Amino acid sequence: MAKEDSAVLADRLASARLRYFVGRERELALFRRALAGEAGTPTVIVLHGPGGMGKSALLQRFAAEARGAGRPVVGVDARTVGLSPAAFEEAAAEVFVQDNAVLLVDDFERYRDMEEWIRDRFLPRLPAGVLVVVAGRLAPDPLWKADLAWSEALEVVPLRELGPADAAALLTSRGVAPSLHPALLRFAAGHPLALRLAADAATHGNTSADEVFWAPLRPVVDRLLTHLVGKPPSPAHRRALEVCGHVADTTEELLRVVLPDEDATELFAWLRQLSFMRSGPFGVCPYDVVRDALDSDLRWRDPQRYRAMHRAVRRHLVELVRDAPEKEALRAAREFNHIVSRAQWLREFQGGRDEAAVHEEPLRPEDAPALIELTRRVEGEPTSRCVAHWLRRQPEAFHVHRRSGTGQLLGFMAWLRVDALDDETRAADPVTAEAWELVSAMTPPRQGEHLGVARFMVHEENHHRPSRSWDLVRMRIVFELLRAKHCAWSCFVSAEPKFWAPLMTYMGMFQPPGQAVHADRGYGLFCHDWRAARVDEWAEGIDARLLSGAPAVAAGKPKSRLTTLSREESDAAVREALRGWLDPGGLADNPLLRSRLVEELSEGDPVTALRELIGKAVQRLDAHPRTRQLHDVLTMTYHSTSTQDAVARKLNLAFSTYRRHLARALDEVRETVWDWEVHGRIRAEQEPPQGS
C-alpha cells in the first residue's frame, strides 16, 4: 500500500513540475535533438549558472522528456552521493548496462576535485549511446575545450535569467495578479528563484498597498542571500560583497579606495570566481537580483555602514568625473547615477533591464538632418527649428543615442552653455530664452559664468519617459555638471514635469515658484543654483535623501546665508583684504567673509580662513618665473608699513615700473580669487590664470 501511495505522490509531483515549468526553449530544443541522436549534437551537455537559476528544474524536465522518449534515466545528485570516484561509480552504475541511458548529474560543482577523473576516466568508458547532462554553478574546467576530441562531443550552456515573457508566465502560473507583475519583474530581474519567492510573498498578502513600489519582505531577501551567496569567508570578503551590491561594476581599484585596510587584489580575485558574478568590460558585477539583495540587506542591517560605504564610493566617482579622461569620466557619471538610485521608489525612473543596449556617440555632421527630421516628427515644427538653430550655434552640445549592435538612431539630447542671449536666439528658442530670464530674475549669472541647459531630449521611443536612452541623458547631465567650470545655474527642461518632479527634487533641483517655461507647450523647468549649493553640498544632500524615501513635496529654491559677489565686488574685496592683511580688524567686515569660498576653508574662524585664502593666491605668484617678481612687489607693499616710494627703492625699480608691476600683481590675485570663487573650489593648476 505504501508503495502505491508513493507512486501516486510521485506522479502528482511530476505533473506539478511540468505544469509550472516555463521557458528554456533553447535548452529544451538542444536536449531533444541530442536525445534523438541528430548529427552534430553533443553527447555531453554541461549546464552552469548561479544558484536559483533553475538548473535542477531543467534536469527534472530533461528526465521527463527522456522517459517520454522511452530512454532509461540515471540520476546522480552530489548532495546525496559521496564525493569519491567509488561513490560516483556506484550511483551511476546502471548506465554501463543500458546503452541508451540518459545520465543526469546535479550540483556538479561539488565534484570540482573529481572533475578531471570524471572527464578523463569515467565518461570515456560509457556506452556510445549514453547521453550525459551535468549541471552546476561553475563553468567547466577550460581543459574540456582544450581537448579537440571533447570539442565535438561537448556543449557548454550557460543558464541565464528568464526573458520578460517567460518570467511573466511563471508569475501567472503562481497566481500573481497582473497588476503586480511589473513591480515583481523589476525586483526579480528574470531570476527563477527570486520570481518564485516574490510570487509566494505576493499571493500570501505580503505586498505593499502601493503596487508600483512593491518591495520584498526580509524573509525573501534572507532566503535569496542564503541560497545564492552563502556565508563569506571573512568580514573583509563580506565588505567586498557589499561594495559589489551597491555599484554597477566593481574593480580592484574601487575596492582599494573603499576598503583601504584590506587586500584588494585578493578580494577581487575571490569575487571574480563566484558563480553569481559576471565579468564585463568595466569590472565584475553580480546578477541583478543578487546585487539588489546584497544592497537591501546592508541598508537594512547597518544603515550607518551603508552610508559610509556609499559616501566613499560617491566621493571617488565625483573625483573621477571631474578629473579623468572623458571616456572614463562618463562611465563614472553613469556609476554615480546608479549608486544614488538604489532606493526602491527610484526604479520607476530607470530604463528596463530587458531593454536593448543603447550607447551615446558625438554628433556627426551627417546626423544633423536626421535630428531635425526626428524632432519634427516627435515634437513638431517649432522645436525642430530650435534644434536647427542650436546645431548651427553649438553642434558640440549634441549627443546622439544609438541602439548598440545595429547603430539605429533612437534620439539625442543637447547640453547648452548660455552666457548671453542675442535677438536671434530669443526668437529661435523661446524656451531657453525664458529659462534664462527666470534664473536671471532670481540670481543672475556673473561675468564669466554661464547657464547650463539640458535641452530637447528627443527620442523615437519613450519620449520623455524612462528608458535606456534616458539613462544616458542622466549620465550626460551629471558629467556636464561635475565637469563644468563657471556654471552658475543648471536647468532641466522637461515636457513631462509632473512625472519627473519627484526625481528632480531628490536630485536637488527645484521649479521656480509659479512659473512654467513656455507653459502653452507644457514644458516645465527644474533649476539648481550652484552658488547656493555647490557640488559637495549637493551630493551630501542626495546622500541624506537616499535613506529617507520619496520626497513628500517639491523642493523650493534653497536659501543661502552666503553672499554671491559680482566680479567688481570680488575685485574690490580682494584689494581691501590685501590692505588689511596685517590688521585682523581690517578684515572683519570684508565681503569675502560671507562668500562660499571662505566658508569652505573656515573651521569656525572666517577671518583666518580669508587670510589663508589671500595668502594662497599671493603665494601662487612666487611659484612661477613669469610672476615671481610680482610676488615680491605685492608682499613688500602689503606686508610692511613702508611707503610705496620706499618699496620701489628697496626693489631697485623706477616708481612708474613699480606701480605697473603692482597693478599687474593685483590683477593676478583678483583673477585667481575670482576663478576659485566661480569654479567652486581652490584649483591646483601650476600656472596662474592670466591677469585681466
Side-chain angles (χ1 to χ4, degrees), residues 64-338:
E65 296 271 338
R67 292 190 183 101
R71 302 277 293 267
V73 175
V74 178
V76 178
D77 190 335
R79 290 170 295 184
T80 59
V81 174
L83 304 181
S84 69
F88 192 92
E89 288 260 15
E90 182 181 356
E94 193 177 345
V95 298
F96 291 100
V97 298
Q98 301 192 61
D99 62 4
N100 67 337
V102 175
L103 175 62
L104 304 176
V105 183
D106 204 359
D107 282 87
F108 190 66
E109 72 276 2
R110 294 173 183 260
Y111 291 125
R112 198 67 168 177
D113 293 339
M114 291 169 46
E115 189 172 353
E116 182 178 355
W117 175 83
I118 291 173
R119 182 185 67 241
D120 297 338
R121 304 284 296 278
F122 176 80
L123 292 178
R125 292 188 284 115
L126 293 179
V130 172
L131 174 61
V132 180
V133 182
V134 301
R137 294 191 176 197
L138 304 175
D141 190 306
L143 289 176
W144 290 78
K145 285 291 189 181
D147 186 329
L148 294 180
W150 272 115
S151 66
E152 295 182 3
L154 177 73
E155 180 90 15
V156 178
V157 180
L159 212 55
R160 308 296 189 191
E161 300 99 325
L162 295 175
D166 290 335
L170 189 153
L171 293 178
T172 299
S173 73
R174 297 279 175 148
V176 177
S179 61
L180 277 173
H181 281 198
L184 270 64
L185 291 172
R186 276 196 300 271
F187 158 72
H191 190 281
L193 176 61
L195 284 164
R196 292 196 298 272
L197 293 175
D200 290 344
T203 54
H204 286 84
N206 297 326
T207 59
S208 164
D210 186 351
E211 295 168 344
V212 174
F213 301 143
W214 181 91
L217 298 182
R218 293 312 315 167
V220 174
V221 174
D222 292 344
R223 288 180 65 186
L224 280 172
L225 291 177
T226 299
H227 188 80
L228 305 183
V229 177
K231 184 178 180 180
S234 74
H237 292 83
R238 177 178 292 279
R239 286 192 286 273
L241 277 175
E242 290 165 354
V243 173
C244 277
H246 194 58
V247 301
D249 296 293
T250 301
T251 62
E252 189 174 316
E253 176 194 14
L254 181 64
L255 292 176
R256 192 174 297 113
V257 170
V258 181
L259 305 173
D261 299 327
E262 309 296 348
D263 184 344
T265 300
E266 189 275 328
L267 292 175
F268 187 76
W270 175 74
L271 287 172
R272 69 192 303 181
Q273 55 84 37
L274 295 174
S275 65
F276 55 83
M277 204 71 68
R278 293 180 283 199
S279 294
F282 309 122
V284 298
C285 61
Y287 281 83
D288 290 336
V289 71
V290 178
R291 176 166 50 208
D292 291 348
L294 287 166
D295 197 59
S296 170
D297 180 64
L298 176 62
R299 185 171 171 172
W300 166 78
R301 176 168 46 84
D302 194 341
Q304 185 174 354
R305 194 161 95 231
Y306 182 89
R307 190 180 292 108
M309 179 266 292
H310 167 84
R311 186 174 288 116
V313 174
R314 186 258 298 164
R315 287 173 175 166
H316 174 64
L317 294 174
V318 169
E319 183 179 338
L320 284 178
V321 178
R322 281 173 160 173
D323 301 326
E326 180 168 344
K327 194 172 182 179
E328 184 180 355
L330 280 169
R331 288 200 301 270
R334 176 182 66 89
E335 186 74 77
F336 178 93
N337 277 330
H338 175 85

Side-chain angles (χ1 to χ4, degrees), residues 246-249 310-311 313-321 328-342 346 350 474-475 477-479 481-482 506-507 530 535-536 538-543 546:
H246 194 58
V247 301
D249 296 293
H310 167 84
R311 186 174 288 116
V313 174
R314 186 258 298 164
R315 287 173 175 166
H316 174 64
L317 294 174
V318 169
E319 183 179 338
L320 284 178
V321 178
E328 184 180 355
L330 280 169
R331 288 200 301 270
R334 176 182 66 89
E335 186 74 77
F336 178 93
N337 277 330
H338 175 85
I339 68 165
V340 301
S341 303
R342 301 304 283 141
L346 288 163
Q350 300 169 22
R474 293 176 58 202
M475 174 194 75
I477 291 174
V478 167
F479 172 87
L481 292 178
L482 297 184
Y506 174 75
M507 295 298 290
W530 291 99
V535 167
D536 290 340
W538 169 74
E540 290 285 348
I542 295 174
D543 291 355
L546 182 62

